[in-house]
Amino acid sequence: MTVTTRLTGRYLAEYARRPINLVLLVLVPLIFVILTAGTIADFAEALGFAGDPSNLVAPTAGWAAAFIAGVAGFFHVLGSRDADRRLAAAGMGARRIVAGRLASGLALALLAAGASIAALALRTSLTNPGRTIAGVVMFSILYLGIGVAIGSLVRSDINGSLIVIFIWMFDVFLGPAMSDSDIWITRLFPSHFITLVMLDTPSGHSGSIGNLGWALLWTFGALGVAAAVFIAATSTRGIRRAAGPVRASWNRLRAGFRFGQRDYRRNVAMWVLLIVLPVLFISLSFYVTPGDPTPVELTENGIKVVKTLSLADVHGAIMVPITLAFLAGLSGLFVVQGSLEADSRLAIAGFRPREILSSRLGTIVVAALLATAVALGVTALDFTPKDWGWFAVGSGLIAITYGMIGVLVGVLFGRLGGLYVMFLVPFIDVGMAQNIMFSAAPPSWGLVLPGRGASQVIVDAAFTTTFDQLGALLLGLAWLVVLAAVTATVFQRIAKPKRA
């Protein structure tokens, strides 16, 4: 027990070596819950939630804590896998190491849960504190288990963290708090029953053990599976060797782009995210949303009008920029983070900064355009915009813009901190400040955010036959130019040869 306690303390100290991660662990849930609680409640009510409205805000705290705990748990295990194996082989024992890791991960998860609950208490009164606190803690422990299990199985930090995010996005956006529809497949999502407990809503499919029983089984079952997988992975002594360096080509720009694409293709989870996520995410948003009428403020022939549209069409159309902002932002974050050391070596080998910049940004643009093409193709199955051309332009613009944001966030905050930030920024910007589902017109404070211009172009093209958003288009292009210039400056610093 003393050894485990000592290991737990050292693992927490290891996490705290980068203070920004510890700050974001608390700050991100606070910002997320305070800004989204009321809006998400309105959203759920618009989708037909029939339960007690005072319970609608509670799951937002659980979602924030779940994301933070899942990502923290994944990186907490992955970053020290080889060191843990060596400790186990040296006589420490896999079980002690796993106990220490899980205990320290649990401390981080509970810290995120505490920040989420505090934010919820500041934002709104806790109508049922016992149920709310229990639900948020279960969310945290559940996703800690998911993150630890994935971190034990997946060696790539890019692929593994994307799998965690992939699970979280479907779990949240298609769960019972976001739709009144009871689709059988959603019952398989990890937090389905935890959310029902927090909403105090009978499911009708929980059987004799009830929603709480299933919620506890999911929570502690995930932690148990994570422990078993982690013990098996830690007991394995074989350590793979890193791949050797890639030889440079005479055509440096072409070589940099080609090898960047090759490295990108190896990230299977990224391809799944770019292709499968838009297919399922956008299609299911049409499927689970009722076709109730909702008012939307539009501009047609230079005149502002309020039209009554189908809520399903509005939800499906707005999910395109939301999905693209998340995907492109993560693509930019990981493409650059995965090549920082390689770019420095390329600079020493004679590559010019502009050549490195062009190859990396070319990779990001290709990824953004691929996600855009998939999103547009999926949208066409359920919805036909009034103007496909401008709808595609707005979608591509927001994808490339968030690709640049992902680059900058990755450089400033690193992989773990960058994931926290890229969870928060697209959700607040495109998911809230530009979302016409929450009100007839998006709030004025969203004007200062990078997604405003492109989102306005998308909405205009989706529901009007005339193009009246020249100002919005110029605003979106201005954001892109500024972000591209800042990104180029950052790359100049990254690609500058380091002195010995």
Side-chain angles (χ1 to χ4, degrees):
M1 183 64 182
T2 303
V3 174
T4 301
T5 304
R6 187 178 304 169
L7 284 172
T8 301
R10 292 194 176 184
Y11 292 153
L12 288 172
E14 176 188 355
Y15 182 88
R17 285 176 184 172
R18 187 163 181 140
I20 186 64
N21 291 338
L22 199 58
V23 171
L24 290 172
L25 185 73
V26 176
L27 189 60
V28 168
L30 281 170
I31 296 174
F32 177 84
V33 175
I34 290 173
L35 291 180
T36 63
T39 305
I40 294 298
D42 294 341
F43 178 60
E45 285 188 297
L47 291 180
F49 178 77
D52 184 357
S54 63
N55 291 327
L56 286 172
V57 299
T60 59
W63 298 340
F67 183 91
I68 298 299
V71 172
F74 170 75
F75 279 100
H76 198 49
V77 170
L78 181 73
S80 59
R81 178 185 295 179
D82 291 341
D84 287 343
R85 287 177 176 176
R86 295 187 186 100
L87 284 174
M92 185 72 70
R95 294 182 183 277
R96 288 179 177 176
I97 293 171
V98 170
R101 284 286 177 193
L102 289 180
S104 57
L106 186 61
L108 297 174
L110 292 178
L111 180 60
S116 300
I117 294 168
L120 188 62
L122 290 173
R123 179 65 176 79
T124 182
S125 60
L126 300 181
T127 55
N128 193 318
R131 182 187 297 115
T132 299
I133 294 172
V136 174
V137 170
M138 283 192 289
F139 259 109
S140 298
I141 296 174
L142 171 67
Y143 268 84
L144 173 67
I146 291 173
V148 168
I150 294 172
S152 303
L153 295 172
V154 181
R155 292 194 62 88
S156 168
D157 55 355
I158 297 175
N159 291 350
S161 55
L162 289 178
I163 293 172
V164 175
I165 295 169
F166 187 91
I167 294 171
W168 181 87
M169 290 182 71
F170 276 93
D171 202 7
V172 169
F173 283 97
L174 301 177
M178 292 295 233
S179 174
D180 194 38
S181 301
D182 184 18
I183 304 174
W184 70 268
I185 195 171
T186 64
R187 302 177 191 177
L188 304 177
F189 293 165
S191 71
H192 178 81
F193 290 100
I194 299 176
T195 305
L196 291 176
V197 169
M198 297 185 75
L199 295 175
D200 195 21
T201 302
S203 66
H205 52 259
S206 58
S208 59
I209 66 173
N211 291 337
L212 180 59
W214 280 109
L216 291 171
L217 281 176
W218 267 103
T219 300
F220 293 103
L223 200 60
V225 170
V229 173
F230 194 9
I231 289 173
T234 305
S235 300
T236 302
R237 299 187 182 185
I239 301 174
R240 299 179 186 177
R241 294 181 180 179
V246 180
R247 291 183 300 171
S249 170
W250 64 271
N251 189 332
R252 292 175 299 202
L253 177 58
R254 183 178 177 184
F257 180 75
R258 184 174 71 252
F259 288 125
Q261 290 292 314
R262 180 182 299 176
D263 182 65
Y264 191 82
R265 289 196 301 271
R266 291 171 180 165
N267 294 326
V268 178
M270 181 70 84
W271 282 105
V272 171
L273 198 71
L274 288 175
I275 297 175
V276 177
L277 181 58
V279 171
L280 296 179
F281 210 49
I282 296 173
S283 295
L284 286 177
S285 68
F286 283 105
Y287 184 53
V288 303
T289 308
D292 299 340
T294 186
V296 176
E297 184 180 286
L298 301 167
T299 302
E300 198 160 14
N301 290 318
I303 302 174
K304 285 190 175 182
V305 296
V306 176
K307 286 188 175 183
T308 301
L309 304 172
S310 166
L311 185 61
D313 288 344
V314 173
H315 190 192
I318 203 64
M319 285 309 298
V320 174
I322 292 174
T323 304
L324 291 176
F326 271 108
L327 292 180
L330 293 173
S331 299
L333 169 68
F334 285 128
V335 166
V336 173
Q337 276 294 306
S339 63
L340 287 176
E341 293 183 5
D343 289 343
S344 296
R345 296 190 188 101
L346 288 175
I348 295 173
F351 276 63
R352 298 182 179 89
R354 65 173 177 270
E355 294 167 345
I356 300 174
L357 171 66
S358 299
S359 62
R360 298 307 179 198
L361 293 190
T363 301
I364 294 169
V365 170
V366 168
L369 293 180
L370 172 63
T372 301
V374 174
L376 294 177
V378 175
T379 302
L381 299 176
D382 299 287
F383 174 71
T384 302
K386 299 294 184 181
D387 191 325
W388 270 111
W390 286 115
F391 192 85
V393 168
S395 300
L397 180 58
I398 203 162
I400 297 173
T401 298
Y402 263 89
M404 300 295 173
I405 292 174
V407 173
L408 297 176
V409 168
V411 172
L412 291 174
F413 297 100
R415 280 186 176 90
L416 179 56
L419 274 172
Y420 292 161
V421 175
M422 288 311 299
F423 151 72
L424 187 65
V425 175
F427 201 104
I428 291 176
D429 181 7
V430 187
M432 287 182 54
Q434 321 305 340
N435 198 330
I436 57 174
M437 290 190 65
F438 301 145
S439 61
S444 57
W445 59 268
L447 182 65
V448 300
L449 299 177
R452 172 55 62 93
S455 297
Q456 291 290 87
V457 171
I458 291 172
V459 171
D460 182 77
F463 302 111
T464 71
T465 55
T466 60
F467 181 70
D468 298 281
Q469 295 295 334
L470 179 59
L473 177 63
L474 294 176
L475 175 63
L477 291 173
W479 265 106
L480 181 58
V481 169
V482 170
L483 288 169
V486 176
T487 302
T489 303
V490 169
F491 259 98
Q492 290 283 346
R493 181 177 62 84
I494 294 174
K496 186 177 180 180
K498 306 295 188 298
R499 293 183 179 180

